[in-house]
Amino acid sequence: MAQVTLNKVIKRYPVGDVLAVDHLDLQIADGEFLVLLGPSGCGKTTTLRMIAGLEDITGGDIHIGERRVNDLPPGDRDIAFVFQFYALYPHLNVRDNITFPLRAQQTPKEEVEKRLQQVAKQLRIEHILNKRPGRLPGGEQQRVALGRAIIRRPQVFLMDEPLTNLDAALRADMRVELKHLQQELGTTMVYVTHDQTEAMSMSHRIAVMHVGVLQQVATPLDIYNYPATLFVGTFIGSPPMNTLKCKVQQNKLIGIDTAFQLPLSTLPAELIAKASTQTLVFGVRSENIHLQPGVNAGDLQGGILVREPLGDETLYQVQIDDYLLTVKTPPQQVFYPGDAVSLTFDRDRIHLFDAESGRSLRVTQGGAHV
Ligand code: ATP
């Protein structure tokens, strides 16, 4: 096991002159499960491939443990890579697929068999060892691919969207299994996904990337509760965070494109102190707005436009003057289109971002600004 350190790592592809990864600093602790999260094209796969040695780096340093690995070929880095596509050998049975890396290293037969049995038990695939992978369902094929990675006992696992090809129910099962497996093995894991549920549910920490730039690295709950940038705030969470462009005028937040108005005294003190003349983006998650019947209370008043009952919760689109806010309520709280409502914000869950830089004005907790 080992820590992985990226120091000002840059990747520029000459074709199209793409800066895929821009001065990335990241320390992944020994035994940590770190997820690289971001939309398509943000540079997460490139980052993983640079750690693996499958991609040259344009600048900076990568260390695995104490070793600087910039110039080491993938085979000498003591890592195991699991892809979205299982890349199993179709002509070999499961047993031979899993043990392939050990046999290639001429590991003694008894040791190979011992480790095979251990891995097969961990992954619950003892019953398919003699089958060819092509005939197996996707979940079992993915377990075989995992088996081939873990049997080597590498210092670091690198996984690139390994669950993408599975159907939703199986993906949910495999999330739990992978998390459990990583807890059991304690091996450092760097895991790429664009799926926020995977990132939130599995990782110790999430590193969110956007157009090659690291936005924030923090625990899932810090990322959710204290997003360091507007991008992180709106990328994580469903439905997305409500946002409104505004500026400060006469002790109020005043909407720029809307009739939004909120007294500054509604905001937490730390935000009031930092809001000055810049253009801001006000942000609040749907579950941090509370509805009451009638228009005589709350921070804002409006009317229900649309009700979306989801079973465990209900979403409301609430019209306030010329803008909408999405509000999430428990299912017991029922309103109908046309009902007049008052909206109250959870004070300490209001966010303000600088509209130009996208940075939060809040001092983030746990996950530092980058
Ligand atoms: P995805 O989830 O779609 O794979 P990603 O976040 O993993 O996205 P990368 O694959 O790392 O993103 O790509 C980052 C940027 O680098 C993109 O703009 C992509 O088009 C570009 N890129 C990736 N590989 C190459 C290449 N071999 N040559 C030129 N540009 C590339």
Side-chain angles (χ1 to χ4, degrees):
M1 289 190 287
Q3 64 176 29
V4 178
T5 309
L6 285 79
N7 207 339
K8 307 250 174 307
V9 170
I10 302 170
K11 177 66 187 185
R12 187 181 288 281
Y13 288 108
V15 181
D17 195 24
V18 179
L19 183 57
V21 177
D22 188 2
H23 292 84
L24 176 58
D25 283 320
L26 196 56
Q27 280 85 43
I28 304 156
D30 187 6
E32 179 171 11
F33 192 142
L34 181 115
V35 168
L36 287 171
L37 175 71
S40 185
C42 72
K44 52 197 188 301
T45 295
T46 301
T47 300
L48 199 71
R49 288 174 59 83
M50 287 192 289
I51 299 172
L54 299 169
E55 208 68 73
D56 291 337
I57 68 175
T58 312
D61 282 314
I62 300 181
H63 285 81
I64 297 179
E66 299 301 313
R67 292 190 304 167
R68 181 174 176 273
V69 297
N70 288 28
D71 304 315
L72 277 188
D76 294 343
R77 293 192 183 197
D78 202 3
I79 44 119
F81 207 117
V82 179
F83 299 91
Q84 173 175 348
F85 302 104
Y86 316 123
L88 300 171
Y89 302 111
H91 59 287
L92 299 181
N93 63 18
V94 168
R95 167 188 297 273
D96 290 343
N97 262 286
I98 292 180
T99 56
F100 188 86
L102 295 188
R103 288 183 291 118
Q105 291 168 357
Q106 269 121 40
T107 309
K109 264 190 179 165
E110 309 77 66
E111 178 65 15
V112 173
E113 189 57 29
K114 196 174 111 197
R115 288 212 218 166
L116 172 68
Q117 294 307 330
Q118 199 179 12
V119 166
K121 196 167 165 212
Q122 270 167 335
L123 293 169
R124 292 187 280 114
I125 50 173
E126 295 118 306
H127 58 294
I128 56 166
L129 292 181
N130 295 321
K131 294 195 175 160
R132 295 262 177 105
R135 305 234 168 100
L136 300 173
E140 289 188 343
Q141 290 194 33
Q142 190 54 286
R143 285 200 184 91
V144 177
L146 284 173
R148 196 171 57 189
I150 68 179
I151 200 163
R152 287 176 36 207
R153 300 182 183 163
Q155 286 201 306
V156 181
F157 289 128
L158 303 175
M159 302 209 179
D160 192 358
E161 310 245 13
L163 308 186
T164 300
N165 288 341
L166 307 178
D167 65 44
L170 198 50
R171 227 166 36 226
D173 286 350
M174 286 299 287
R175 277 206 310 263
V176 176
E177 283 191 28
L178 257 181
K179 183 167 182 171
H180 180 237
L181 189 68
Q182 198 273 342
Q183 278 168 9
E184 210 172 69
L185 300 172
T187 309
T188 311
M189 168 92 88
V190 189
Y191 184 106
V192 161
T193 184
H194 63 270
D195 178 336
Q196 53 165 304
T197 309
E198 273 179 28
M200 292 291 292
S201 62
M202 293 167 80
S203 71
H204 294 125
R205 283 190 310 158
I206 302 173
V208 184
M209 294 182 74
H210 180 45
V211 287
V213 178
L214 179 65
Q215 301 284 305
Q216 185 174 14
V217 52
T219 63
L221 288 182
D222 275 350
I223 290 264
Y224 188 82
N225 292 324
Y226 307 105
T229 66
L230 179 60
F231 176 81
V232 175
T234 50
F235 186 71
I236 305 267
S238 176
M241 181 185 278
N242 293 288
T243 57
L244 291 160
K245 251 190 177 179
C246 56
K247 60 188 177 205
V248 176
Q249 230 171 39
Q250 292 165 347
N251 284 327
K252 281 185 182 163
L253 282 179
I254 306 277
I256 288 181
D257 319 307
T258 60
F260 172 66
Q261 279 207 18
L262 195 68
L264 277 188
S265 55
T266 312
L267 306 179
E270 57 166 322
L271 291 188
I272 300 174
K274 288 181 184 165
S276 60
T277 55
Q278 72 271 55
T279 305
L280 299 166
V281 177
F282 169 88
V284 64
R285 295 198 186 280
S286 58
E287 68 272 27
N288 298 131
I289 310 176
H290 305 283
L291 297 181
Q292 275 176 270
V295 290
N296 301 320
D299 298 315
L300 296 173
Q301 289 77 40
I304 301 290
L305 189 70
V306 176
R307 171 173 179 251
E308 299 174 79
L310 300 176
D312 58 341
E313 64 201 17
T314 303
L315 297 182
Y316 291 101
Q317 299 299 322
V318 184
Q319 175 101 45
I320 303 124
D321 298 319
D322 58 352
Y323 61 96
L324 292 176
L325 291 177
T326 305
V327 181
K328 193 187 276 185
T329 70
Q332 300 81 355
Q333 209 183 8
V334 179
F335 298 99
Y336 293 100
D339 285 357
V341 287
S342 302
L343 301 87
T344 307
F345 300 116
D346 285 332
R347 296 277 185 282
D348 57 347
R349 289 286 185 266
I350 290 176
H351 305 275
L352 278 186
F353 303 94
D354 181 291
E356 201 174 321
S357 67
R359 282 172 187 249
S360 169
L361 303 197
R362 190 185 281 280
V363 178
T364 57
Q365 304 197 351
H369 269 109
V370 289

